[in-house]
Amino acid sequence: MKFNSTEEYIATDDLRLAVNAAITLQRPLLVKGEPGTGKTMLAEQLANSLGLPLIQWHIKSTTRAQQGLYEYDAVSRLRDSQLGVEGVHDISNYIVKGKLWEAFESDTPVVLLIDEIDKADIEFPNDLLLELDKMEFHVYETQEQVKARHRPIIIITSNNEKDLPDAFLRRCFFHYINFPDRETMKEIVNVHFPKIRDSLVKEALEVFFDVRKVPGLKKKPSTSELVDWLKLLMADDVPEEVLLERDPTRAIPPLAGALVKNEQDVQLLEKLAFMARRGT
């Protein structure tokens, strides 16, 4: 199985090599990169490209590794026993399968996305070492051993909010998605807006990369935010001449609420514009 770009996703050569290397090695692919660079979408498009089902496990700060395997619903069983519900003595009726169990028991290979693993507790990755390595786990309550029928293709994303344990990293193939250059970004834009004017794309990209280069920004605009901004520019029929001016004394570009997402960055851009006016 080989991954390539799709009609909806532009994958660079190094990203394609990383995905295919992880598939060959049968190791999870750990993907890092700026928010909005397409880490989550990679799993979706990989599944589409290979014609495989996608199972998504979105991690939160309260997520525990055990939830990916299974959970025993003791509260429901106690309630049912008090109500005299039939089947209460069969403990398997109260085992709730997790995303890993779903992936392991699938009749066909699947793509398993473990999204934003760094949101969870630091011990979360270590708690999954054996299961991801051996592709099996034990269900204590039923004394059942669950083994993967087919080894899933595992994509793990991280926003680098915290360091991951070395023992976990050793079991992964790692790839950092660099922020797209102008040519790659133009290809991405054309995927989303096939009929967009080249002149508008050219000027919008100039403004976009100029904003990203401003020193001191708390949050640089991402690829997804550029797509949103272009969608607004097209909807409001903003002429590229407005972008072409790039007057340094103006506070921020038109409809920049799609690009700049916090008050500190807005104030920074306004301060730079004020300083430019004072310098004229």
Side-chain angles (χ1 to χ4, degrees):
M1 292 185 288
K2 293 292 183 182
F3 170 65
N4 289 296
S5 296
T6 69
E7 293 182 357
E8 301 175 0
Y9 190 86
I10 300 298
T12 57
D13 291 341
D14 57 343
L15 177 56
R16 291 197 298 271
L17 285 172
V19 173
N20 292 322
I23 293 174
T24 300
L25 293 173
Q26 295 187 326
R27 290 188 177 274
L29 174 63
L30 174 61
V31 184
K32 293 186 178 183
E34 286 186 36
T37 50
K39 299 186 296 295
T40 300
M41 188 179 291
L42 169 63
E44 299 170 359
Q45 295 304 316
L46 173 59
N48 288 340
S49 173
L50 301 180
L52 301 177
L54 173 66
I55 295 177
Q56 303 184 60
W57 186 16
H58 299 288
I59 307 302
K60 301 178 181 179
S61 59
T62 56
T63 304
R64 295 177 293 107
Q66 181 64 32
Q67 292 172 310
L69 307 179
Y70 71 93
E71 291 185 280
Y72 169 47
D73 192 352
V75 174
S76 293
R77 192 183 187 199
L78 174 61
R79 184 194 62 231
D80 289 350
S81 66
Q82 292 171 340
L83 297 174
V85 174
E86 185 178 351
V88 71
H89 297 297
D90 185 354
I91 198 170
S92 64
N93 291 329
Y94 301 92
I95 299 294
V96 181
K97 297 177 181 180
K99 297 298 184 181
L100 263 72
W101 192 332
E102 288 182 33
F104 284 6
E105 73 173 2
S106 174
D107 292 330
T108 62
V110 302
V111 174
L112 172 63
L113 169 65
I114 303 178
D115 198 27
E116 298 188 327
I117 195 171
D118 51 326
K119 280 188 175 180
D121 182 85
I122 189 61
E123 290 303 321
F124 179 92
N126 279 337
D127 291 341
L128 290 176
L129 286 180
L130 181 62
E131 290 76 14
L132 295 181
D133 201 24
K134 301 296 185 182
M135 288 288 131
E136 63 180 88
F137 62 89
H138 185 70
V139 183
Y140 174 79
E141 289 79 4
T142 63
Q143 296 301 305
E144 178 183 1
Q145 194 72 11
V146 178
K147 296 184 179 182
R149 297 177 182 173
H150 304 276
R151 180 177 285 268
I153 299 173
I154 302 175
I155 304 294
I156 302 173
T157 71
S158 168
N159 285 326
N160 236 1
E161 293 182 5
K162 61 170 70 81
D163 291 333
L164 299 174
D166 288 345
F168 178 79
L169 294 174
R170 283 198 301 271
R171 289 165 168 82
C172 297
F173 189 92
F174 173 77
H175 181 72
Y176 185 89
I177 298 182
N178 291 310
F179 197 82
D181 58 21
R182 290 173 189 259
E183 284 304 312
T184 304
M185 190 66 80
K186 185 177 179 181
E187 290 183 49
I188 294 172
V189 169
N190 288 334
V191 165
H192 287 274
F193 308 110
K195 298 181 180 179
I196 193 171
R197 299 190 306 274
D198 287 341
S199 55
L200 177 59
V201 174
K202 179 177 181 298
E203 300 309 325
L205 287 179
E206 289 293 331
V207 173
F208 174 76
F209 280 103
D210 282 348
V211 172
R212 280 186 57 87
K213 286 189 295 187
V214 172
L217 276 184
K218 184 176 181 180
K219 182 190 179 306
K220 295 180 180 180
S222 67
T223 305
S224 60
E225 287 156 344
L226 170 64
V227 171
D228 288 344
W229 186 47
L230 282 169
K231 186 175 182 178
L232 289 175
L233 292 176
M234 294 170 65
D236 285 9
D237 201 21
V238 176
E240 49 265 31
E241 289 77 13
V242 175
L243 305 178
L244 185 61
E245 293 174 5
R246 284 198 288 282
D247 185 350
T249 64
R250 293 189 60 175
I252 51 178
L255 300 169
L259 297 176
V260 185
K261 296 299 181 71
N262 60 69
E263 63 275 14
Q264 294 98 318
D265 288 346
V266 171
Q267 291 168 3
L268 174 61
L269 293 176
E270 290 176 341
K271 181 179 179 181
L272 292 174
F274 174 75
M275 293 172 63
R277 287 195 295 271
R278 289 292 297 269
T280 56

